Amino acid sequence: MMFDRPLLRFVPRGTKINFMRGRFIGLATSAVLSIASLILFFHPGLTLGLDFRGGIVVEARTQGPADFNVIRAALASEHVSAAGVQSFGGPDDVLIRLDTPPDSEPDHEARTQAMVDSVRHAIATLPGAQVLRADAVGASVSKELFRNGMLALGISLLMILAYIWFRFEWEFAVSAVVTLVLDLTKAIGFLVITHFEFDLVMVAAILTILGYSTNDKVVVYDRVRENLRKYRTMPLAELIDLSINETLSRTLGTSCTVFLAALPLALFGGASLSGFAWVMLFGIVVGTSSSIFIAAPLLLLMGEKRLRRDARPPTRP
Amino acid sequence: MMYYSRLRMASVIGVCLIGLALCLPNFIRQPSPSLPWRQIHLGLDLRGGSYLLLQVDMASVTADRLRGLQDETRQTLLKAGLGYRNLATGAHEVTFTPRTPDETQPDLKALRAMPMNAPGEFEVKQGENGQIAITLSADAARQRAYDAVTQSIEIVRRRIDATGAIDPEITRQGEDRIIVELPGISDPERVKNLLGTTAKMTFHLVADSAIGSAVPPAGVEMLPMSSGQGTLPVFSHVDVDGADLTNASASIDQQSGEWAVNFTFDSTGAQEFGDVTRTNVGKRFAIVLDNKVIEAPVIRTAITGGNGQITGGFSAQQATDIALLLRAGALPAPLNVIEQRSIGPSLGADSIRAGGYSLAAGFVLVIAFMALFYGRFGWYANIALLANLVLMTAILSLFEATLTLPGMAGMLLTLGMAVDANILINERIREEVARGRSALQAMQAGFERATATIVDSNATALLAHVMLFVFGTGPVRGFALTITIGIVTTLFTTLLLSRMLMVRWYARTRPSTLPV
């Protein structure tokens, strides 16, 4: 039968790559990237999306290429000032951004809502133009959404830590969570560089890549634990290398399928989903490599004394 | 591990078939109304529509209650022949100083006998410097807030139903918020205006003697005219309350040709209205809506039928809206719109197209990958993947879940991750074959060893997404829900279905080598 046997093979059978030899290079690269990301996080910082920044965003489609001056004039006649008008997607799509009044002012919520209506009225005066989307988020709501988003992130990390701790020894849990935090900083750096807006959907994307990354680490750790029982005297470095090599073709296979699933979304998913999908793609690459180059060396550093008390000293190559 | 009883096979296949049946409502029309028909709803981001988050102004609910309490305190003390000084309301309490310190005990006794809206609603205590404070309890305040929101939801629903909106969803969120979702309405301005009006209508006698005086005497308020020009002094006492209306409608007045709102009182209201108009013929009677005087006509004769008409220079839309608001009833407190999201229908259609194509393309890529790299067992995994998609759709339909754009992304990612379990099994079988195990042993060991890993890796993902569902808001919840459901269906399809396919194939052919 023509589909009986696999036509292609991902990783040659029985690889023996010495990953642990490069552990310091891996850790150092990761540290540099994460520190760079942290610097980027503080300066210039994330581009906050509407959910977390608050404000008004109106997306409109004009008949024919958008003329910004006409749009600004229409807005001005409705007494909307200080609006940012920019192109978006196609030549006939425009994005109008407004800041909400500060929440120290009375009636700021009502005024925010009135501003959206004014923008709508302004667009209605342009022939053939239509509003595609109009969002207005008040200052109090955006603060709350931000807090909830961060809470979800923090609690997920804690739950992952608790679960791995419960299922494995604590060395595994700590190195997994440290790796996840490093992954997280890199994802933030990626967001800063790409100027993707950080909003609730991005929090979901980040949580998904954290979930994926954990999943990947659990598979490698699972094999390490199995091999710890199987090879009672093998030095830990050698044992971790063996475990990574044994699971390598699964690690790469799964990364590939998830990558392939997300790729069309990044390329054709439309404005609202492509940012999400690009972060996913980045996260898949980072999460997969960090399982091998960060989580495993960390486990080696932390577990060398504890996990392998009776082992013979590691042989220097 | 390598044996599937008939019963077990039948149940696995049965679940898949039930799943398939549950998916049907999404694709065909309901043949008869008696059949249960549950389907996935499209979220506002896919079908177009508006989302409004409203906050009930709790401060005004409390302020209202305190104003009432201050009034009752005054009445109670007067009735008992007790005096007071410095009667005032604070943020949560009414305070006053007794006329003399001797009156403190009688004051406390009289006030503690005041009727409460709920047990333990307020506490009467003597504070420092001899003042007496009537403090609203926090519990009662919470209860009142809860009631206010419940009542508001009911009125919001009535008002929105009256606009003819299709399938509006009105739900409570947290302590003091209401979510209103309006599919198909991409410009919510009118709804916002309707909801932004409290629509409290009251009738007061006009204090003609106070016209022109700068400071109104006690018991008289200066209210602005709704036309925006000038103010009118009216007695604070409410003679007739609009809450006693049974009907209201807009029509054109025969004589003037103006738009008017006609209203009908219930028996209590009609009685009160009749009494007031009978005893005050020749005086002016102010019709007040949300603290603005709409008009103040002179009472010519007693109006006993319980019917009335307001003409205030309305436009057709204004008259219709006022009638609608009067019919639906007044809100217990003002509502503020604090978040608004609206999506036009064309953007929703674009999103469905883009999302749908990406979903299909991603699915095809994953299937091709599995077929190329895992051969026969890869195809089994693909069958499981298809079953996974069917079961996810089935469970989402069963919950009548709302599919959002992030939810679609969640489905796609689940499918990408779902094959992980199959890859784990296949890789493990390959390893065991490489170690020189027989076909049977290799499959057995593969299933056994891979299961622990599959459960571990899915459990962590499950935890993360349940958290996301619990703490997330809006679109994120939809995303988390689809992934959570996806993980459950993934466990079923990989641990039971694809394994069953592999085991059955083995039992049928008894191969000496495995196609791995």
Side-chain angles (χ1 to χ4, degrees):
Chain A
M1 261 169 122
M2 68 164 282
F3 65 80
D4 204 42
R5 284 190 175 274
L7 290 173
L8 300 170
R9 219 160 212 296
F10 220 70
V11 176
R13 209 170 288 219
T15 50
K16 285 201 177 61
I17 305 167
N18 192 346
F19 290 106
M20 286 308 105
R21 189 188 285 174
R23 63 182 184 266
F24 292 109
I25 302 171
L27 286 174
T29 314
S30 170
V32 167
L33 286 177
S34 285
I35 290 169
S37 295
L38 277 182
I39 293 170
L40 285 171
F41 174 69
F42 288 107
H43 186 86
L46 285 169
T47 316
L48 287 187
L50 186 71
D51 293 345
F52 298 151
R53 184 171 43 89
I56 298 169
V57 172
V58 177
E59 236 176 271
R61 186 166 289 167
T62 53
Q63 208 170 33
D67 184 340
F68 289 2
N69 288 327
V70 171
I71 295 168
R72 285 206 186 91
L75 287 171
S77 68
E78 285 287 337
H79 309 290
V80 178
S81 53
V85 183
Q86 61 187 87
S87 68
F88 165 80
D92 48 358
D93 287 350
V94 283
L95 200 66
I96 299 163
R97 288 168 184 280
L98 283 164
D99 286 331
T100 50
D103 56 346
S104 51
E105 286 179 29
D107 287 349
H108 63 100
E109 306 283 15
R111 280 178 50 207
T112 305
Q113 296 304 320
M115 280 158 81
V116 185
D117 295 334
S118 302
V119 174
R120 277 186 184 279
H121 297 159
I123 290 167
T125 62
L126 305 170
Q130 53 168 327
V131 174
L132 295 180
R133 168 203 295 275
D135 292 345
V137 178
S140 55
V141 175
S142 61
K143 277 181 200 149
E144 210 179 284
L145 290 175
F146 187 72
R147 206 188 52 223
N148 283 349
M150 293 306 110
L151 197 68
L153 260 178
I155 292 184
S156 299
L157 275 175
L158 283 179
M159 296 294 279
I160 290 171
L161 177 76
Y163 185 81
I164 301 184
W165 201 326
F166 170 70
R167 291 287 295 165
F168 298 88
E169 284 83 7
W170 71 267
E171 288 88 352
F172 290 89
V174 173
S175 36
V177 170
V178 170
T179 315
L180 286 184
V181 171
L182 290 172
D183 285 1
L184 180 69
T185 53
K186 291 182 190 82
I188 289 171
F190 180 74
L191 282 177
V192 176
I193 291 175
T194 53
H195 290 289
F196 286 133
E197 290 198 346
F198 184 65
D199 55 14
L200 276 176
V201 175
M202 280 304 174
V203 171
I206 288 179
L207 271 173
T208 309
I209 61 180
L210 289 185
Y212 172 77
S213 182
T214 316
N215 181 49
D216 214 50
K217 276 143 201 75
V218 165
V219 171
V220 176
Y221 283 177
D222 213 58
R223 186 57 69 99
V224 171
R225 182 173 56 178
E226 188 186 323
N227 284 338
L228 275 171
R229 288 191 206 117
K230 201 145 92 190
Y231 307 102
R232 291 248 160 226
T233 54
M234 189 185 284
L236 193 58
E238 222 172 282
L239 189 133
I240 291 178
D241 263 340
L242 174 73
S243 309
I244 295 177
N245 277 300
E246 281 176 348
T247 49
L248 191 61
S249 109
R250 174 267 156 195
T251 305
L252 296 179
T254 299
S255 307
C256 245
T257 53
V258 186
F259 196 91
L260 286 176
L263 189 64
L265 211 56
L267 296 178
F268 319 110
S272 33
L273 280 186
S274 76
F276 171 91
W278 281 114
V279 173
M280 284 292 315
L281 293 179
F282 176 80
I284 293 163
V285 175
V286 168
T288 308
S289 47
S290 74
S291 301
I292 297 171
F293 296 109
I294 317 295
L298 278 178
L299 183 65
L300 178 60
L301 286 178
M302 274 193 266
E304 202 150 24
K305 298 270 156 52
R306 293 186 181 83
L307 295 174
R308 257 301 88 116
R309 275 202 197 103
D310 48 349
R312 59 192 154 89
T315 43
R316 295 269 163 226
Chain B
M1 279 290 167
M2 289 299 288
Y3 174 72
Y4 267 65
S5 70
R6 267 170 205 283
L7 183 67
R8 195 153 166 217
M9 280 198 302
S11 25
V12 171
I13 295 170
V15 167
C16 294
L17 290 179
I18 291 172
L20 207 56
L22 286 173
C23 286
L24 282 182
N26 296 303
F27 304 106
I28 57 173
R29 290 165 69 91
Q30 187 169 14
S32 106
S34 59
L35 270 174
W37 210 248
R38 288 167 163 266
Q39 64 185 75
I40 298 176
H41 295 287
L42 289 184
L44 293 181
D45 54 353
L46 294 176
R47 69 194 286 201
S50 295
Y51 166 101
L52 299 174
L53 183 60
L54 310 169
Q55 188 158 33
V56 179
D57 188 347
M58 284 304 168
S60 97
V61 177
T62 309
D64 264 2
R65 181 62 189 127
L66 284 171
R67 208 173 300 131
L69 207 55
Q70 184 183 8
D71 218 44
E72 278 170 47
T73 304
R74 185 188 292 125
Q75 306 276 351
T76 309
L77 292 176
L78 284 176
K79 220 178 277 169
L82 297 161
Y84 58 86
R85 281 182 291 134
N86 308 332
L87 181 63
T89 54
H92 301 285
E93 70 287 311
V94 176
T95 52
F96 71 94
T97 315
R99 192 165 44 194
T100 60
D102 312 345
E103 281 186 3
T104 303
Q105 286 314 318
D107 278 345
L108 290 174
K109 193 166 172 249
L111 293 174
R112 283 184 180 140
M114 284 198 300
M116 295 190 182
N117 287 348
E121 192 199 5
F122 52 79
E123 221 181 0
V124 187
K125 259 194 194 157
Q126 188 182 9
E128 320 108 54
N129 53 45
Q131 269 201 337
I132 290 178
I134 303 125
T135 314
L136 290 174
S137 83
D139 279 349
R142 215 165 293 128
Q143 184 60 42
R144 200 166 35 250
Y146 188 86
D147 292 345
V149 176
T150 311
Q151 213 180 334
S152 300
I153 288 178
E154 185 49 43
I155 288 157
V156 164
R157 177 163 323 191
R158 272 191 250 154
R159 288 185 183 180
I160 288 174
D161 282 346
T163 65
I166 297 155
D167 297 336
E169 290 260 2
I170 299 150
T171 42
R172 170 190 283 270
Q173 195 210 39
E175 257 182 22
D176 57 354
R177 292 191 178 159
I178 302 170
I179 294 175
V180 175
E181 288 178 287
L182 304 162
I185 297 181
S186 49
D187 183 358
E189 190 178 346
R190 180 164 176 240
V191 174
K192 250 167 47 182
N193 288 340
L194 284 180
L195 296 182
T197 316
T198 318
K200 200 171 197 153
M201 187 165 76
T202 47
F203 297 81
H204 305 250
L205 284 167
V206 176
D208 281 311
S209 59
I211 290 181
S213 66
V215 182
V220 174
E221 287 175 70
M222 296 299 272
L223 292 183
M225 302 294 293
S226 66
S227 57
Q229 286 156 353
T231 55
L232 191 71
V234 301
F235 288 104
S236 303
H237 180 72
V238 176
D239 289 295
V240 187
D241 196 323
D244 299 326
L245 284 178
T246 55
N247 197 12
S249 62
S251 69
I252 292 179
D253 182 44
Q254 295 298 327
Q255 288 159 3
S256 62
E258 264 191 280
W259 275 95
V261 178
N262 304 296
F263 55 87
T264 312
F265 280 110
D266 62 10
S267 55
T268 336
Q271 176 81 43
E272 282 175 357
F273 202 63
D275 289 349
V276 175
T277 49
R278 190 176 312 111
T279 49
N280 292 289
V281 172
K283 289 185 185 160
R284 287 168 76 195
F285 204 29
I287 303 166
V288 177
L289 188 69
D290 289 335
N291 285 324
K292 282 186 187 140
V293 180
I294 291 185
E295 58 171 348
V298 176
I299 304 168
R300 293 185 202 287
T301 63
I303 305 167
T304 49
N307 291 310
Q309 190 186 52
I310 321 170
T311 48
F314 301 129
S315 67
Q317 181 76 61
Q318 278 172 323
T320 317
D321 282 355
I322 290 176
L324 182 159
L325 291 169
L326 290 179
R327 277 199 307 275
L331 287 168
L335 292 176
N336 293 320
V337 178
I338 53 173
E339 185 182 349
Q340 172 197 342
R341 291 170 195 264
S342 46
I343 289 126
S346 55
L347 189 66
D350 284 358
S351 301
I352 292 192
R353 206 174 311 120
Y357 285 153
S358 315
L359 201 77
F363 194 72
V364 168
L365 284 177
V366 172
I367 286 202
F369 179 93
M370 289 305 284
L372 282 177
F373 287 89
Y374 293 97
R376 172 182 289 278
F377 287 168
W379 280 107
Y380 290 160
N382 286 337
I383 294 173
L385 199 61
L386 209 59
N388 200 344
L389 187 63
V390 166
L391 288 179
M392 266 174 83
T393 314
I395 295 178
L396 286 171
S397 315
L398 208 58
F399 284 170
E400 299 198 299
T402 305
L403 184 67
T404 57
L405 212 48
M408 274 170 105
M411 269 176 115
L412 187 57
L413 289 171
T414 307
L415 296 180
M417 295 280 276
V419 289
D420 178 47
N422 285 298
I423 293 180
L424 274 167
I425 295 175
N426 280 303
E427 289 294 340
R428 196 74 208 215
I429 293 176
R430 274 187 189 170
E431 269 182 60
E432 300 300 328
V433 168
R435 285 200 184 120
R437 302 265 173 106
S438 74
L440 179 68
Q441 280 173 326
M443 281 176 77
Q444 214 155 9
F447 290 146
E448 226 164 280
R449 301 249 167 86
T451 302
T453 315
I454 292 169
V455 171
D456 266 344
S457 62
N458 280 292
T460 40
L462 197 63
L463 274 181
H465 288 102
V466 167
M467 282 302 115
L468 197 54
F469 183 74
V470 174
F471 292 97
T473 18
V476 176
R477 278 172 78 92
F479 173 80
L481 181 71
T482 33
I483 294 205
T484 307
I485 292 173
I487 291 171
V488 176
T489 54
T490 298
L491 286 178
F492 174 83
T493 51
T494 45
L495 293 184
L496 290 169
L497 180 66
S498 67
R499 179 185 296 181
M500 183 183 91
L501 294 171
M502 288 161 83
V503 167
R504 289 300 304 157
W505 169 79
Y506 180 85
R508 219 170 46 239
T509 56
R510 300 267 164 205
S512 52
T513 55
L514 291 174
V516 290

